Amino acid sequence: MQRRTFLKKAAVGLAATTVAAPAVAQSPGQVRWRMATSWPKSLDTMYGSADEMCKRIGQLTDGKFTIQCFAAGEVVGGLQVFDAVSNKTIECGHTLTSFYFGKDPVYAFDAGVAFGTNSRQQAAWMYYGGGLDILREVFLKQKLLNFPCGNVGVQMGGWYRKEINTPEDLKGLRMRIGGLGGVVLQRLGAIPTQIAAGDIYPSLERGTIDAAEWIGPYDDEKLGFHKVAPYYYTPGWWEGSAMITSLVNTDAWHDLPQAYKNAFEAAANEQNLLMLAKYDFKNPAALKRLIASGTKLRAFPQPVLEACYKATGETFNELSGKSADFKRVYEHWKEFINTSNQWFQMAEYRLDAFRYSSTKW
C-alpha cells in the first residue's frame, strides 16, 4: 500500500515537472537595447529621467532587458534621434517630438502646441481621449511607436537681450525656438532658428541670436542663460505642456517579448509622472536664485500675447489646409481641449486664482 502511494505521488510530481519544463524554456532571454537622447548629461531632469527609465526597465525584468542610455552626441546628435530610431540605427530614443516639426508639423501635437493643453490635459487626451491612438497612426508611417515618458509642464517664455513691450519688438528678433512656436513668431516678423541645448549659450554669448527659450528656471540656470541675456519672460505660450516622448523602432518592438513590452510601458508611464514632479519641485527655488543673481523677470504684455494667439490660429488653419494628417489631428485635439477647458475654467482656474492671490499659509 505504501509503495503504491509513493508511486502515485512520484507520478504526480513527474507530471508537474513535465508541465513546468516548457514554461521555463520559453521564458524571455537577454535583450540589450540602446537609447539615444536629445539631452546633455548636465540636465539631470531630462537625461536623468531617461537614465532612470532604462534602469527601471532592467529592475522590472530582473536584468534581462537592459537599455543603455546615451547623451546627445554620444551616438547621434540631439536633433537626430528621430531618424536614428526610424532607420533602426538605434532601437529607441528619448526626445521632444516638436523638434521634428520640419519633417511634419503634426508631430507638434505629441509634445504640446501653442496655447494648448496643460500637462494634465495632455495626459488626459493622450491616454483616454484618443490622442495616443491617432498620433500612433502618424508615427507608424516612419516605423516608429511613440510612448509618453515625461513632461516639463508649462515653460518659461525665454531669455532676451532687450525688453519685449509690443508686438513690433518681435520684428527682426533672432530667437532660438523651434517647432510651431517658431512658425508663429516668424509670422510676426521674428527670425526663428533651432539649436540644440549645448549650442544655445555660445550663440547668445556671441550675439548670433538675440533671444532663446529652453524649458524653465532649473534647467535654464544650469545652462547659464542668465549670464548672457538679462530679461526672463513668462509664460511660454508655445508649449503649455511639453511632453517628452520615447520613440521606438517598430521592428525592434515587434521582436520584444510581451513581458518586456509591459516593463517598457510601465517605466515610461512612471517617468511621465516623476519628471513633472521633479520640475515642479526644482523650479521655484531656481527662479529665486536667478532673480537674486540679477535676472529681470518680465511678463509678456497682453497685446503681445493677443498677437501671438491670433497668429497661432492663422498658422493652425494654414497647416490644416496643407496636410490631411494635421487637419485630422487638429480637429480631434480641438474638440477635446474645448470641452476640457470648460471644466478647468469652472473648477481648477477659480480655485487656483483664489489660492495664488489670497492665501499664504
Side-chain angles (χ1 to χ4, degrees):
M1 178 68 70
Q2 290 179 348
R3 181 173 177 273
R4 286 198 298 271
T5 302
F6 171 79
L7 290 174
K8 287 180 181 179
K9 290 180 178 179
V12 170
L14 180 61
T17 303
T18 304
V19 171
V24 173
Q26 293 172 13
S27 63
Q30 189 75 38
V31 175
R32 292 183 176 87
W33 276 13
R34 297 182 301 163
M35 173 183 281
T37 77
S38 293
W39 331 114
K41 287 186 177 180
S42 59
L43 296 182
D44 64 301
T45 43
M46 308 288 278
Y47 177 81
S49 179
D51 194 43
E52 287 300 316
M53 177 178 163
C54 293
K55 290 177 181 176
R56 186 65 169 144
I57 290 168
Q59 292 171 355
L60 293 172
T61 59
D62 294 326
K64 293 182 179 179
F65 180 21
T66 58
I67 303 179
Q68 187 175 1
C69 188
F70 293 93
E74 290 185 334
V75 177
V76 296
L79 301 181
Q80 298 172 329
V81 171
F82 184 106
D83 288 337
V85 179
S86 178
N87 298 332
K88 207 179 178 182
T89 302
I90 200 162
E91 291 84 5
C92 61
H94 193 276
T95 190
L96 182 75
T97 48
S98 58
F99 287 161
Y100 313 105
F101 182 89
K103 292 179 176 294
D104 193 328
V106 74
Y107 297 143
F109 287 100
D110 182 68
V113 296
F115 296 100
T117 58
N118 63 27
S119 57
R120 286 173 56 191
Q121 290 174 310
Q122 182 74 359
W125 180 58
M126 292 293 283
Y127 290 126
Y128 293 101
L132 188 58
D133 293 333
I134 197 170
L135 286 170
R136 283 264 170 94
E137 295 175 12
V138 176
F139 280 100
L140 281 171
K141 295 178 181 180
Q142 302 299 323
K143 303 195 72 175
L144 295 169
L145 283 170
N146 54 315
F147 294 89
C149 64
N151 202 305
V152 309
V154 64
Q155 298 189 349
M156 289 291 285
W159 299 86
Y160 299 75
R161 292 180 173 276
K162 65 177 185 177
E163 291 189 81
I164 305 297
N165 296 312
T166 70
E168 284 68 36
D169 291 330
L170 298 172
K171 293 180 179 178
L173 185 79
R174 298 168 299 171
M175 184 172 182
R176 183 275 171 198
I177 182 172
L180 182 63
V183 174
V184 172
L185 285 173
Q186 188 172 31
R187 189 179 288 269
L188 295 172
I191 305 169
T193 182
Q194 186 153 283
I195 304 172
D199 298 324
I200 300 174
Y201 181 94
S203 296
L204 272 173
E205 186 178 37
R206 291 192 301 264
T208 306
I209 56 176
D210 306 308
E213 62 82 30
W214 181 238
I215 294 176
Y218 183 66
D219 283 345
D220 292 0
E221 180 188 33
K222 280 180 170 289
L223 295 175
F225 302 149
H226 58 291
K227 300 175 184 177
V228 287
Y231 298 103
Y232 198 24
Y233 272 84
T234 184
W237 49 265
W238 42 81
E239 278 175 327
S241 166
M243 193 186 79
I244 306 303
T245 298
S246 180
L247 296 176
V248 179
N249 180 273
T250 53
D251 291 339
W253 183 258
H254 179 268
D255 293 338
L256 206 60
Q258 186 60 48
Y260 295 176
K261 292 178 180 178
N262 295 342
F264 189 98
E265 291 193 75
N269 290 341
E270 188 175 84
Q271 285 303 317
N272 208 20
L273 167 67
L274 294 179
M275 181 190 290
L276 182 60
K278 189 171 186 178
Y279 272 113
D280 285 343
F281 177 73
K282 296 283 189 180
N283 278 331
L287 183 60
K288 286 184 178 181
R289 291 193 298 270
L290 288 169
I291 293 173
S293 70
T295 292
K296 300 173 183 179
L297 187 63
R298 298 288 189 271
F300 287 122
Q302 187 71 13
V304 173
L305 288 175
E306 289 174 355
C308 293
Y309 180 72
K310 181 176 181 293
T312 297
E314 293 169 351
T315 302
F316 279 145
N317 292 333
E318 181 180 301
L319 292 172
S320 293
K322 294 179 178 179
S323 167
D325 279 341
F326 189 96
K327 182 178 181 179
R328 185 166 62 95
V329 176
Y330 175 45
E331 292 296 330
H332 184 279
W333 172 89
K334 185 164 59 174
E335 182 179 355
F336 166 83
I337 194 172
N338 285 339
T339 301
S340 180
N341 280 347
Q342 292 174 7
W343 160 248
F344 272 76
Q345 182 180 27
M346 180 187 71
E348 300 280 343
Y349 173 77
R350 291 181 182 276
L351 177 59
D352 287 346
F354 176 80
R355 286 194 303 114
Y356 299 152
S357 65
S358 305
T359 66
K360 184 176 182 180
W361 297 104

